[in-house]
Amino acid sequence: GGFAVIFVCQTMLPQMSGNTSLVPGPDYSLTLHVLESKNVSPPQGSSSTVWLVLFFLVIFLSVVVNTVYVATLVCRRNLTLTHLILCFFFFINLVDYGLLMFEFSLSPSNQYPYSDGSCSFYQFLLHGIPLLSSGTLVLLVYQAYSSSSCPPHSSPFLKLSMLLITMAILSIPSILYSRLAVYPSTARYCVMDLSSLASWAGMDTGRQHAVTAIFFLIYKSVLTYWLPLALVIFPILRMVKMVNTMADNQLTISLTFAVTISFLVFNLPLATIVLVRQLITIFSIPVSSTTTWIIHVLYSLFLLISFFFHVFRPLVCLVLDQDNLPNLCRRKYRRVEKLGEETDQV
């Protein structure tokens, strides 16, 4: 039989497509994908506008609330590693938003006009940022858990550096298997091509899509949610008893507990739908076009829900750590007072 190339176009934004198969194809978009029903054909423009408005509304709220929270921390004199990690979450979110902006700059068909090297870097960020987010959560939990029993000895910047290095190493496959796919129509797409790995494993042509599904199952569900859940569940259960105790004198335990629970709640639907979708592909379970449409729409909806963690995280931190708000207001008052004195002297 002929040699088939199995690859996946990776994007973050909801896309409209006529494809109703769960098997990856050249126009497949995993991260956010809204498909037309076989019997219902909604206008592409109106659907894209709805997703654009929803995502940008959440992004706007996230930037505003996170900026306020970071401003309150700037006014705080005794910052802990927990506060620095919470600020680092905002940096991760900003990179996420940058990827979304980049995709909006592409053509409506998601054609990729840039170089092969930029495609590799794009896929590296696309897979690395979710890993970095879940890794940061694990670091937050174990930092709070260890500091409650004994003072930390290593530098906070050393811990963050080790986290970045680990996530970079885990994201190397996204560089190795990313490439530009050029069609006879001159259309160019930035794709993940794992056909060489499937061929090396001796898989049949009709089953090579399972390798792609396994890759995304690991990188979009297991490493980003289920493994972190297994790693943090024990310390989180132990820290429940420490809330509002002497070990929680700087609200380290309370903040960590609230942020961790919100992360697990807002990302659970997304991790579950990814798990279900990829298992269907791996085991070649037949599904109807209606079921396929529902799965992809739910995926887009659940990704939007996961973005609410970006908003809820700083909000719950502001509510729990209300002592920071007077510090921010006091600093603004001092600036106004100082400006008034200088005006009086003139």
Side-chain angles (χ1 to χ4, degrees):
F3 180 73
V5 177
I6 305 296
F7 50 76
V8 174
C9 294
Q10 267 298 98
T11 64
M12 297 180 66
L13 295 173
Q15 303 296 329
M16 299 295 295
S17 171
N19 180 23
T20 56
S21 172
L22 283 177
V23 177
D27 61 344
Y28 172 68
S29 169
L30 176 79
T31 313
L32 266 177
H33 201 161
V34 181
L35 299 177
E36 295 179 4
S37 168
K38 188 173 182 180
N39 301 317
V40 181
S41 181
Q44 179 175 349
S46 60
S47 176
S48 300
T49 303
V50 169
W51 286 113
L52 187 150
V53 171
L54 290 175
F55 273 88
F56 270 88
L57 179 61
V58 176
I59 290 173
F60 174 77
L61 291 175
S62 171
V63 172
V64 171
V65 180
N66 275 283
T67 301
V68 172
Y69 180 64
V70 171
T72 62
L73 293 182
V74 171
C75 302
R76 188 186 180 107
R77 295 181 179 179
N78 53 339
L79 286 178
T80 64
L81 179 56
T82 299
H83 295 114
L84 294 177
I85 294 175
L86 291 173
C87 291
F88 189 64
F89 267 117
F90 183 36
F91 167 76
I92 296 173
N93 298 154
L94 291 177
V95 178
D96 255 334
Y97 306 153
L99 290 172
L100 285 170
M101 298 295 182
F102 175 75
E103 289 180 7
F104 275 122
S105 69
L106 301 177
S107 62
S109 58
N110 281 322
Q111 292 192 37
Y112 196 86
Y114 305 105
S115 66
D116 191 72
S118 65
C119 172
S120 297
F121 182 67
Y122 170 63
Q123 294 289 353
F124 173 79
L125 290 179
L126 206 58
H127 293 89
I129 291 302
L131 291 176
L132 186 59
S133 180
S134 58
T136 303
L137 179 77
V138 174
L139 175 62
L140 174 69
V141 172
Y142 278 88
Q143 163 62 26
Y145 183 68
S146 61
S147 63
S148 63
S149 56
C150 60
H153 300 288
S154 57
S155 167
F157 295 101
L158 176 62
K159 293 182 178 180
L160 290 176
S161 299
M162 292 299 296
L163 174 65
L164 289 171
I165 293 173
T166 303
M167 296 304 107
I169 293 175
L170 289 175
S171 302
I172 288 177
S174 63
I175 298 178
L176 297 178
Y177 296 104
S178 62
R179 71 176 183 88
L180 282 177
V182 182
Y183 289 83
S185 61
T186 70
R188 295 156 55 92
Y189 296 95
C190 180
V191 303
M192 291 295 298
D193 182 0
L194 282 78
S195 59
S196 59
L197 186 61
S199 178
W200 175 80
M203 299 185 66
D204 296 334
T205 301
R207 289 288 301 158
Q208 288 183 356
H209 63 269
V211 177
T212 301
I214 293 172
F215 176 86
F216 287 114
L217 175 64
I218 294 173
Y219 275 81
K220 295 295 184 182
S221 184
V222 175
L223 292 179
T224 57
Y225 186 85
W226 301 111
L227 180 60
L229 172 62
L231 291 175
V232 304
I233 190 67
F234 173 74
I236 281 295
L237 292 177
R238 293 290 298 271
M239 285 192 291
V240 171
K241 303 176 182 179
M242 304 179 189
V243 175
N244 296 327
T245 63
M246 291 296 295
D248 194 23
N249 57 345
Q250 291 186 311
L251 296 177
T252 300
I253 304 298
S254 298
L255 291 174
T256 300
F257 181 79
V259 170
T260 302
I261 295 301
S262 62
F263 177 93
L264 297 176
V265 169
F266 284 113
N267 286 277
L268 175 60
L270 181 62
T272 303
I273 199 68
V274 171
L275 179 66
V276 171
R277 187 210 179 285
Q278 300 306 335
L279 289 178
I280 289 175
T281 304
I282 292 170
F283 294 106
S284 299
I285 300 174
V287 293
S288 65
S289 59
T290 303
T291 304
T292 302
W293 179 82
I294 292 173
I295 289 175
H296 287 298
V297 171
L298 286 178
Y299 189 98
S300 301
L301 176 62
F302 292 161
L303 183 63
L304 180 65
I305 292 174
S306 71
F307 269 49
F308 278 91
F309 170 68
H310 305 176
V311 180
F312 184 82
R313 183 190 65 247
L315 279 177
V316 73
C317 292
L318 286 171
V319 171
L320 292 175
D321 202 2
Q322 296 184 10
D323 292 340
N324 288 337
L325 291 176
N327 293 334
L328 178 63
C329 298
R330 192 179 301 116
R331 175 164 292 193
K332 288 183 177 181
Y333 174 76
R334 288 174 180 173
R335 288 179 179 177
V336 173
E337 188 179 44
K338 184 177 181 180
L339 180 62
E341 291 177 355
E342 292 176 353
T343 304
D344 293 339
Q345 291 176 1
V346 173

